[in-house]
Amino acid sequence: MEHNGWADERYGAVADAFSRNFADSGELGASVAVFVDGRQVVDLWGGIADERTGRPWDEHTVVPVFSCAKGVVSVCVHLLAQEGRLDLDAPIASHWPEFARGGKEAITPRMILAHRAGLPVLDRTLSFDEITAWTPVVRAVEEQEPLWEPGAAHEYHGHTFGFVLGELIRRVTGLTPGAYFRRAIGDGLGLRTWIGLPDEEVAHLARLVEAEGRPGNPDPESLVMRIVTMNGALAFPGLDVPHGWNDPALLRAEIPGAGAVSSARSLATLYAAAATGVDGSARLLTRETVTGALRELTAGPSWSGFPDLGARWGSGFLLDAPRFRPMLGARSFGNDGSGGQFAFGDDEFGVGFAYTANRMIGHGDARSARLIGAVRECLSAA
């Protein structure tokens, strides 16, 4: 397939892998971007952004990136900690007193970042309108009792990750997480990444499609489905139903655990800025901050008995995991998205990487792994 954009001649293998994804993996529309040592070396896009109209994917196309949003939130939280405005190991209730109710007095931001706080799901069922209004979710979080002793076990905090850390950001800065991200990071870097999509960007949205043969969903009453749908209020996958992930009303709201929209170029820029700085600027997160984020806190079977798929978590980021998400090495940190999107940084190799696509195959499919393998090959040859 012919793609658009460019790749430095030393990174031609990434362009070849990108083309192979279309030939071998049924790619519909996608983009990939890579920075090395603060300089962009790959910026490629191609295919179809909207299957219904044939609208092509262009350099301005953005797409829902699901839990890649957790990386955006985590960079914000680590930046606030680095500035001394937040202590990751002090009780959340020191900034948000109402959070302490129901046995949550000792829960720290790091426990949320590591999915260990005992708050993977809320008992209260909220409507879509309540979820998008923010405050009702905050009240439900305040009422919630942990499902286990905080810190003693882990379970993926699919949406509560974003709402708890997002409200903490709001308490510290006075801004909701989407607004804080834009003011502190996104606007200055010119990123096409949002938690809360602006109306004027809806026209640039790629439309998600489900790949045929994608595994079916478990019982809607199961813990995993309650986590990803907030007790049924958010459709999943159900992309085109009201409140599905193609619904602009959902994407305009601030749903910081899974509701970011971005281009690959912008996610790669964010991770490059965090790991190395871009175009000669100082890095956003210091080496010491990244070292703290890289300490493994979570791995193995979950509290509910979900099997060990090989995932490893530090503070807010997935770590290099050969069986689950191979990256570049011990200094890699990132997050993936439900449709196969993936972005990470690495300050040893000086890399910021992101891949976005609109054909949802799933966590850990071959497309991003193929691209990362090509990046690894190019780095070793350099």
Side-chain angles (χ1 to χ4, degrees):
M1 185 215 78
E2 284 190 20
H3 49 66
N4 300 295
W6 60 277
D8 183 291
E9 59 182 15
R10 291 170 298 175
Y11 290 85
V14 181
D16 294 341
F18 188 67
S19 294
R20 282 215 321 280
N21 278 348
F22 284 86
D24 301 346
S25 298
E27 195 77 278
L28 178 61
S31 54
V32 62
V34 184
F35 283 74
V36 177
D37 295 332
R39 185 178 68 86
Q40 190 159 21
V41 297
V42 175
D43 191 17
L44 298 168
W45 62 90
I48 302 298
D50 190 333
E51 199 175 36
R52 298 168 304 180
T53 64
R55 172 168 55 93
W57 193 294
D58 64 32
E59 66 173 315
H60 302 298
T61 299
V62 293
V63 67
V65 293
F66 296 97
S67 285
C68 291
K70 291 180 174 67
V72 178
V73 171
S74 296
V75 170
C76 291
V77 168
H78 283 288
L79 184 60
L80 288 170
Q82 184 174 284
E83 292 171 349
R85 301 172 72 185
L86 183 62
D87 183 342
L88 300 185
D89 298 304
I92 289 172
S94 61
H95 293 282
W96 176 6
E98 302 89 339
F99 180 81
R101 292 160 56 190
K104 300 192 295 298
E105 300 86 349
I107 293 177
T108 64
R110 202 179 302 277
M111 289 178 190
I112 298 284
L113 288 163
H115 303 272
R116 305 187 69 85
L119 304 173
V121 70
L122 299 173
D123 291 335
R124 196 165 145 214
T125 296
L126 299 158
S127 69
F128 178 78
D129 288 344
E130 287 176 316
I131 289 169
T132 56
W134 188 268
T135 301
V137 184
V138 171
R139 297 290 170 261
V141 167
E142 290 169 356
E143 295 164 7
Q144 184 67 38
E145 295 182 4
L147 299 189
W148 62 81
E149 180 187 346
H154 74 90
E155 190 77 55
Y156 193 62
H157 286 44
H159 287 291
T160 50
F161 180 104
F163 282 111
V164 174
L165 294 173
E167 177 64 9
L168 184 58
I169 289 169
R170 193 185 74 80
R171 297 282 175 140
V172 171
T173 69
L175 298 169
T176 57
Y180 171 74
F181 166 71
R182 293 302 310 181
R183 181 177 293 184
I185 301 169
D187 289 345
L189 290 171
L191 300 185
R192 295 183 54 70
T193 303
W194 296 274
I195 298 171
L197 185 68
D199 288 345
E200 62 270 20
E201 294 296 336
V202 170
H204 296 294
L205 262 177
R207 178 177 172 270
L208 297 164
V209 299
E210 282 278 332
E212 62 287 344
R214 197 164 183 252
N217 290 312
D219 176 352
E221 297 302 314
S222 68
L223 181 64
V224 65
M225 285 304 286
R226 288 182 59 214
I227 287 171
V228 300
T229 66
M230 292 195 74
N231 296 327
L234 305 177
F236 189 85
L239 299 173
D240 292 309
V241 299
H243 314 153
W245 292 94
N246 280 327
D247 183 351
L250 177 65
L251 301 173
R252 287 187 190 104
E254 289 197 32
I255 301 180
V261 172
S262 186
S263 67
R265 182 192 295 163
S266 291
L267 279 179
T269 303
L270 173 64
Y271 276 98
T276 65
V278 291
D279 297 329
S281 66
R283 56 189 288 177
L284 197 59
L285 301 181
T286 65
R287 181 175 176 83
E288 182 183 20
T289 295
V290 171
T291 297
L294 285 166
R295 181 165 54 91
E296 182 184 307
L297 299 176
T298 291
S302 76
W303 172 79
S304 67
F306 197 78
D308 178 10
L309 300 179
R312 301 168 57 239
W313 286 92
S315 295
F317 300 105
L318 280 169
L319 308 180
D320 184 55
R323 283 199 299 125
F324 183 76
R325 270 298 187 195
M327 293 181 246
L328 294 177
R331 298 288 299 182
S332 296
F333 58 100
N335 266 285
D336 61 357
S338 180
Q341 306 90 342
F342 191 47
F344 74 93
D346 187 300
D347 64 359
E348 178 183 353
F349 290 96
V351 165
F353 169 94
Y355 160 78
T356 61
N358 60 347
R359 182 169 178 263
M360 294 180 64
I361 295 178
H363 287 282
D365 69 78
R367 296 171 295 173
S368 66
R370 181 179 284 150
L371 293 164
I372 294 165
V375 171
R376 191 181 298 114
E377 173 190 326
C378 296
L379 288 167
S380 358

